[in-house]
Amino acid sequence: MKKSLARLDLNLLFTLQILLKEQNVSKTAKKLNVTPSTVSKALKKLRDWFDDPLFVKTPQGLRPTPLAQSIEEDLAEWLQMGSQILEKRGDEVPNGVHFNLVMESPLLLIMFNQLSQSIYQKYPDAKVKVQTWDYDSLESIICGNADIGFSGRESHPRSKELLDLLPYFIDFEVLFTDLPMVYLHKDHPALLEEWNIDTFLKYAHINIVWEKSESWALDEVLMEIGLARNVALTMNSFEQSLFMAAQPGHNMFTTAPKYCQQYVQHMRFDLVSLPIPLDKEYLDKLLTPFTMLWHKRNGHNPKIRWLRDTIKSLYCS
């Protein structure tokens, strides 16, 4: 028979959260400033409610049952909602909050330190998992394995990465817009020539695979005007392509987002950057909206709303 929530003392859930963290009745009692007997009585009520022992005794202390483990994260988020409702009465935040993020690299390497400091300042006991954006990342957001994704999309009307082509149940917000640049070694012979489309196509290119595709909007634009790049080397990431472009002794260069200038500076690569030598009407088709994405079901989740607001405050242009 389904039990009514109105019959459950919600203070018991807070006790359960502390028990899950401490896994010890005495330590939990100390945290709550009550007697161990009070905690034991609360645990008995919780066991009756959930019809599960919740914890079993071991030589190392209390060990959560599979049911208790399965509700730990949901409990933290549920209590977080309660704490936000009562925010004007105090500044307590729940323990054990988890954040699962997928972010484009090397943007991840540039941005995440500042974001992580904000997370741990707000949620000192947070558990944060960050993965690099790849072909399966959107599916991770859809399935609930990732809270928020952060990646560049494309503007070219024939691109499969248009924001308009995202599933209807994915919400998004553009944080800033980037335009790809050309990165080449400081001693590259192209720097001694006039920088135009002929020079750009004269030399071999280092390309990357993006979401299992070896072509991108630049190739579509060049095709429109009857041109094509000579791709001599294809790699898996911007970091790899920039690393190879920075090596002396070859005449290849690569294209990567403008924000990679920060990464190049940080890594002290011997690279200079130049604009892609195309007219504005074509460059506009290469604009890259760097976008925060989340599932509609999380639109009112307090944890994710806080995370979205924090990311916007740090990185919106």
Side-chain angles (χ1 to χ4, degrees):
M1 180 182 296
K2 187 175 180 180
K3 299 178 181 179
S4 170
L5 185 63
R7 297 176 55 193
L8 177 65
D9 180 354
L10 300 185
N11 288 320
L12 295 176
L13 296 180
F14 185 65
T15 301
L16 177 58
Q17 186 188 36
I18 304 300
L19 273 168
L20 284 165
K21 180 181 179 183
E22 299 295 337
Q23 299 185 15
N24 181 285
V25 169
S26 297
K27 290 182 179 179
T28 299
K30 187 175 181 180
K31 282 266 187 180
L32 296 173
N33 197 26
V34 298
T35 65
S37 174
T38 301
V39 175
S40 296
K41 290 176 182 177
L43 180 55
K44 182 180 184 306
K45 292 178 181 179
L46 287 163
R47 284 168 167 165
D48 290 342
W49 175 267
F50 287 104
D51 195 21
D52 185 89
L54 297 179
F55 298 90
V56 294
K57 290 184 179 180
T58 72
Q60 290 75 38
L62 296 177
R63 179 168 58 85
T65 65
L67 175 64
Q69 290 177 329
S70 72
I71 65 176
E72 184 172 7
E73 183 174 348
D74 290 337
L75 179 62
E77 293 193 10
W78 193 79
L79 290 171
Q80 178 187 353
M81 294 181 191
S83 70
Q84 291 208 354
I85 292 172
L86 301 175
E87 190 172 359
K88 293 184 179 180
R89 297 182 57 190
D91 58 1
E92 292 185 4
V93 294
N95 297 317
V97 174
H98 289 239
F99 291 95
N100 296 308
L101 312 177
V102 282
M103 302 179 72
E104 177 176 317
S105 182
L107 192 61
L108 163 62
L109 304 177
I110 297 170
M111 291 176 49
F112 185 66
N113 181 56
Q114 192 176 13
L115 176 58
S116 67
Q117 290 179 25
S118 296
I119 290 174
Y120 291 120
Q121 183 178 6
K122 174 73 172 178
Y123 302 101
D125 297 318
K127 307 297 182 186
V128 183
K129 180 179 180 181
V130 186
Q131 293 180 295
T132 302
W133 183 277
D134 61 21
Y135 182 76
D136 297 317
S137 294
L138 191 59
E139 184 65 25
S140 294
I141 296 172
I142 294 170
C143 294
N145 296 325
D147 297 323
I148 280 185
F150 189 31
S151 176
R153 310 301 291 179
E154 287 189 339
S155 298
H156 193 282
R158 289 199 298 272
S159 173
K160 295 179 180 180
E161 304 303 323
L162 288 172
L163 290 172
D164 289 345
L165 298 181
L166 286 169
Y168 75 92
F169 43 78
I170 294 295
D171 282 338
F172 65 87
E173 186 164 357
V174 175
L175 298 185
F176 64 90
T177 302
D178 194 294
L179 189 64
M181 302 286 287
V182 182
Y183 293 83
L184 60 167
H185 192 274
K186 66 178 184 179
D187 296 325
H188 198 289
L191 296 174
L192 301 176
E193 305 176 40
E194 181 183 355
W195 184 242
N196 54 33
I197 192 65
D198 293 330
T199 306
F200 177 67
L201 297 177
K202 174 181 176 181
Y203 295 94
H205 288 238
I206 305 169
N207 194 34
I208 72 161
V209 177
W210 179 250
E211 298 213 355
K212 295 188 177 180
S213 176
E214 294 185 19
S215 64
W216 59 289
L218 174 60
D219 298 297
E220 293 282 353
V221 165
L222 291 173
M223 191 183 304
E224 290 176 20
I225 53 180
L227 301 172
R229 296 184 297 158
N230 170 24
V231 176
L233 177 62
T234 300
M235 310 201 77
N236 282 329
S237 68
F238 290 127
E239 297 100 305
Q240 292 178 4
S241 69
L242 291 165
F243 176 83
M244 288 305 302
Q247 304 309 304
H250 65 78
N251 292 336
M252 293 185 288
F253 49 67
T254 192
T255 53
K258 185 176 182 179
Y259 76 73
C260 287
Q261 291 173 336
Q262 298 178 55
Y263 177 74
V264 166
Q265 184 178 12
H266 178 75
M267 298 302 293
R268 298 182 179 179
F269 286 155
D270 288 331
L271 291 172
V272 296
S273 60
L274 295 172
I276 297 175
L278 289 168
D279 293 339
K280 184 179 183 301
E281 64 175 300
Y282 297 114
L283 288 178
D284 286 345
K285 297 180 181 181
L286 302 183
L287 288 171
T288 305
F290 279 88
T291 308
M292 182 167 53
L293 307 102
W294 64 93
H295 198 285
K296 284 185 183 294
R297 64 171 170 264
N298 290 323
H300 298 289
N301 183 311
K303 176 190 78 172
I304 296 178
R305 287 176 61 187
W306 175 86
L307 183 62
R308 283 161 40 201
D309 290 342
T310 300
I311 292 173
K312 285 163 56 178
S313 70
L314 292 174
Y315 307 117
C316 267
S317 60

